[in-house]
Amino acid sequence: MSDGARTLPAAAQPPLVRRSHLLPGLAALGCALVLPHFANAYVTEVATTALLYVVLCLGLNIVVGYAGLLDLGYAAFFAVGAYTTGILTSEFGFNFWLTIPVAMAAACLAGVIIGAPTLRLRSDYLAIVTLGFGEIVRIIARNLDITGGASGLVGIERPEILGFKLMQVQHFYYAFLALALLAVFVCLSVERSRMGRAWFYVRYDEDAAAGIGINRVSAKLQAYMMGAVIASVAGCLYAAKMTAISPESFTFNQSLLILLGVVLGGMGRIPGVVLGAILVALLPEVLRGAGTYRPLVTAVALLAIMLFRPNGLWPDKRG
Amino acid sequence: MALLEVRDLRLSFGGLKVLQDISFSVEKGAINSLIGPNGAGKTSLFNCLTGFYKPKGGSIRLGGRPIAGLPPHRITALGLARTFQNIRLFKEMSVLENAMSGQHCRSRHGIVSAILHLPSQRREEDMIRGAGMRWLEFVGIAEHAHRLAGGLSYGDQRRLELARALASAPEIILLDEPAAGLNEREKLDLVHLIRRIRDETGVTVLLIEHDMGLVMQVSEKIVVFDYGQKIADGTPEAVRADPKVIEAYLGTED
């Protein structure tokens, strides 16, 4: 046995970004930073939506890609964030920034409420329960007075940074870009940490993970909570951008689109998930020319991708 | 006081009595074995000890603390580690990441400190990595640290399971048929490794094995099972001469 004082090169911690990814990553970031200066309002708007999906897909990827739990009601956590900001700013006059910590706490709570009783279920049953949860949240939002019923909330306060009010499309583009970068940083940090590895252990072999000393219920619950928090922050910013939200923004369809982004790009791997998220946002716009055939063309395109690249466009090397 | 003490342990599935009033103990620093023909209840007993099955009655004490009925991760944290009969590695992860998994219950930093990159979290990561590497060296597969675990040869996968279990800093390690599928040369290496585990790290070893040759060679005490009951308990010589053991393994003359 080694004396432990010997430092092995192999024992060094891996860098946050692999060297081979550094240059392409910086190039992509550079393009993203200058995009609004060359694109018109329409393109910037679509790009903003793409960035929203990047954040949501990265959040869902923690649940689906890292911990291996199928979640069909992820839009519920997005709704929790959006409605928290909506209600607190329009009804109680809160400052936008103060609504974020409240939304994060609410999302954590929602994550525990859905997680605690269901995490002992196996994947298929878990998927059904999460689907139900997503619908429950949407229907509650539709029927309560405080959430504005079916017509939703209007007149949500726009955020200010140091006296500068976010108003135009470009402002929100940069706000979502900042949030997406933060989400990437958070995911990279957690992915290679003790809890990130625990999620992978649980995903690959739950019994072996338990046998080696990992509390699987706690690990899954934490994956749920972290995914929920990321979606809720995206929801806060979404509400501020739209200034009006209604239950129809948080349907099962929305949950499916986010899941589609995760699966399409390649579960478990950040570059793949970012790519998938962008595709999910862009496909409907690119295919606008197909007119009434758009859903059909979209479906065929997606089927083709899954048929020829079953592990996603940019799959996890780990398989 | 014995390190592991099992008293009157009972387990049944429906009406089937899998284990009936099993009692035995393992002293600290010993190498002991559980043997018995197929279906004797060895693996069921193993699963009771490691928390995968909840026994119906009796007690299991580890260092004097009752552990029967606790969930597996708690039992591991209390100092009892295991390997699996049919190797259960995280095949899609690196060899080092597999070895690091044992350190999970010996470390504590969570999501928030990882996001903030706290210095104490970085130090803990270094410690986890270092421990993983040390145990890979101990079992002799450190040069494969960055390969995928699923790509290792069968014998090296067995070694990795040992390294992973040892990385959880156990008091006692339970090996479920560690010689299954190994050739004669690999079995010799295994005997050597099991002795080194006890001699160099002081970890107590409890084996479950089919392979009589290996068991006789390495164990100081052997507990023999048949049909869910203990039929003999003693040194290899005593057990080998016991008529009940001979009967269980070879059958009786009619």
Side-chain angles (χ1 to χ4, degrees):
Chain A
M1 201 166 93
S2 88
D3 54 12
R6 217 170 102 204
T7 36
L8 295 145
Q13 291 182 34
L16 214 51
V17 180
R18 247 181 280 165
R19 194 163 292 166
S20 60
H21 284 181
L22 207 56
L23 218 57
L26 284 176
L29 177 61
C31 292
L33 278 174
V34 299
L35 180 108
H37 297 284
F38 298 99
N40 59 27
Y42 163 71
V43 172
T44 309
E45 180 74 41
V46 173
T48 307
T49 306
L51 289 170
L52 167 68
Y53 276 100
V54 167
V55 178
L56 290 172
C57 289
L58 284 171
L60 180 60
N61 183 50
I62 292 169
V63 180
V64 179
Y66 296 170
L69 305 162
L70 190 53
D71 183 351
L72 294 179
Y74 189 65
F77 301 123
F78 180 41
V80 166
Y83 273 101
T84 304
T85 294
I87 293 167
L88 289 181
T89 59
S90 66
E91 307 276 325
F92 298 98
F94 266 59
N95 177 297
F96 167 78
W97 301 104
L98 287 180
T99 66
I100 293 180
V102 181
M104 288 165 77
C108 266
L109 190 67
V112 172
I113 290 171
I114 173 72
T118 56
L119 286 174
R120 286 161 210 274
L121 298 176
R122 286 230 315 271
S123 57
D124 323 20
Y125 303 102
L126 181 65
I128 293 169
V129 175
T130 55
L131 182 121
F133 176 70
E135 287 301 278
I136 289 168
V137 167
R138 186 178 64 85
I139 291 166
I140 287 177
R142 232 185 127 84
N143 287 287
L144 285 184
D145 283 335
I146 198 163
T147 55
S151 50
L153 293 171
V154 290
I156 297 165
E157 195 61 36
R158 293 202 135 148
E160 269 181 40
I161 304 174
L162 307 169
F164 178 81
K165 201 162 195 161
L166 298 183
M167 292 289 280
Q168 293 163 354
V169 191
Q170 290 97 319
H171 301 160
F172 280 98
Y173 173 84
Y174 283 115
F176 273 102
L177 182 61
L179 184 60
L181 288 173
L182 183 64
V184 168
F185 173 76
V186 163
C187 288
L188 282 172
S189 305
V190 175
E191 194 184 68
R192 61 206 58 224
S193 77
R194 172 174 171 269
M195 187 46 72
R197 285 190 301 271
W199 289 331
F200 282 107
Y201 300 142
V202 169
R203 170 183 162 189
Y204 289 130
D205 192 332
E206 223 181 296
D207 287 339
I212 205 62
I214 287 156
N215 182 344
R216 43 191 154 173
V217 173
S218 154
K220 289 177 179 181
L221 208 53
Q222 291 192 47
Y224 249 104
M225 281 165 57
M226 190 176 163
V229 165
I230 290 180
S232 75
V233 177
C236 295
L237 196 54
Y238 175 79
K241 170 177 175 278
M242 304 305 285
T243 69
I245 50 171
S246 79
E248 295 323 299
S249 311
F250 312 103
T251 55
F252 172 60
N253 220 12
Q254 183 72 265
S255 295
L256 266 192
L257 274 181
I258 302 166
L259 182 63
L260 185 67
V262 174
V263 177
L264 195 64
M267 282 195 295
R269 200 160 170 259
I270 292 168
V273 171
V274 171
L275 179 71
I278 293 172
L279 275 182
V280 163
L282 292 191
L283 261 187
E285 303 300 329
V286 172
L287 297 176
R288 216 165 258 286
T292 50
Y293 289 104
R294 194 169 63 162
L296 181 69
V297 178
T298 311
V300 170
L302 293 176
L303 277 176
I305 291 173
M306 285 292 101
L307 212 55
F308 294 109
R309 307 279 305 188
N311 291 323
L313 289 169
W314 198 345
D316 188 349
K317 231 185 15 194
R318 287 161 166 164
Chain B
M1 184 183 59
L3 178 61
L4 181 69
E5 188 140 22
V6 177
R7 194 163 294 162
D8 302 324
L9 194 71
R10 271 176 289 127
L11 176 74
S12 49
F13 296 130
L16 184 69
K17 287 178 178 163
V18 181
L19 296 173
Q20 301 175 47
D21 302 317
I22 304 287
S23 298
F24 67 92
S25 60
V26 181
E27 296 297 323
K28 188 164 174 50
I31 301 179
N32 287 9
S33 295
L34 298 171
I35 63 168
N38 268 329
K42 295 180 306 252
T43 296
S44 296
L45 173 63
F46 214 83
N47 282 333
C48 286
L49 295 177
T50 51
F52 282 82
Y53 293 164
K54 299 215 184 319
K56 229 182 135 195
S59 73
I60 306 171
R61 284 173 179 275
L62 178 66
R65 297 170 77 160
I67 58 165
L70 291 180
H73 69 271
R74 293 266 303 126
I75 292 177
T76 309
L78 288 173
L80 187 150
R82 71 170 295 178
T83 64
F84 289 84
Q85 189 175 330
N86 42 349
I87 305 176
R88 297 281 285 272
L89 293 171
F90 309 111
K91 291 195 169 62
E92 299 87 347
M93 300 177 79
S94 79
V95 169
L96 177 58
E97 282 172 317
N98 270 271
M100 285 160 74
S101 69
Q103 277 281 313
H104 187 88
C105 61
R106 303 285 168 237
S107 45
R108 60 182 180 85
H109 277 283
I111 295 171
V112 176
S113 48
I115 294 171
L116 298 177
H117 293 256
L118 295 180
S120 57
Q121 186 263 348
R122 308 294 294 169
R123 277 197 299 276
E124 189 182 83
E125 280 289 301
D126 282 337
M127 184 204 84
I128 295 171
R129 252 165 214 283
M133 276 313 286
R134 274 203 306 284
W135 289 112
L136 290 180
E137 278 187 42
F138 180 82
V139 302
I141 53 171
E143 73 268 29
H144 301 310
H146 298 290
R147 286 175 57 187
L148 288 190
L152 290 181
S153 71
Y154 188 80
D156 283 348
Q157 291 196 14
R158 286 245 173 246
R159 284 168 186 272
L160 178 52
E161 262 215 328
L162 278 172
R164 183 176 70 175
L166 287 166
S168 71
E171 295 274 331
I172 181 168
I173 182 167
L174 273 63
L175 311 178
D176 196 354
E177 299 203 11
L182 298 184
N183 63 32
E184 289 307 316
R185 181 171 166 75
E186 287 170 327
K187 276 181 196 166
L188 269 177
D189 290 345
L190 180 67
V191 169
H192 182 60
L193 189 55
I194 290 171
R195 289 202 175 119
R196 279 183 58 219
I197 289 173
R198 195 266 310 268
D199 297 344
E200 292 177 28
T201 72
V203 175
T204 307
V205 179
L206 180 62
L207 284 160
I208 287 200
E209 231 341 303
H210 260 314
D211 191 299
M212 291 291 264
L214 185 118
V215 166
M216 295 290 168
Q217 218 178 337
V218 81
S219 336
E220 290 136 10
K221 204 180 88 179
I222 297 176
V223 180
V224 190
F225 283 88
D226 201 15
Y227 296 112
Q229 285 169 309
K230 186 170 96 170
I231 58 170
D233 187 340
T235 61
E237 295 73 30
V239 162
R240 209 194 319 244
D242 193 311
K244 275 198 262 176
V245 176
I246 298 169
E247 186 187 314
Y249 269 88
L250 301 174
T252 45
E253 287 177 72
D254 285 315

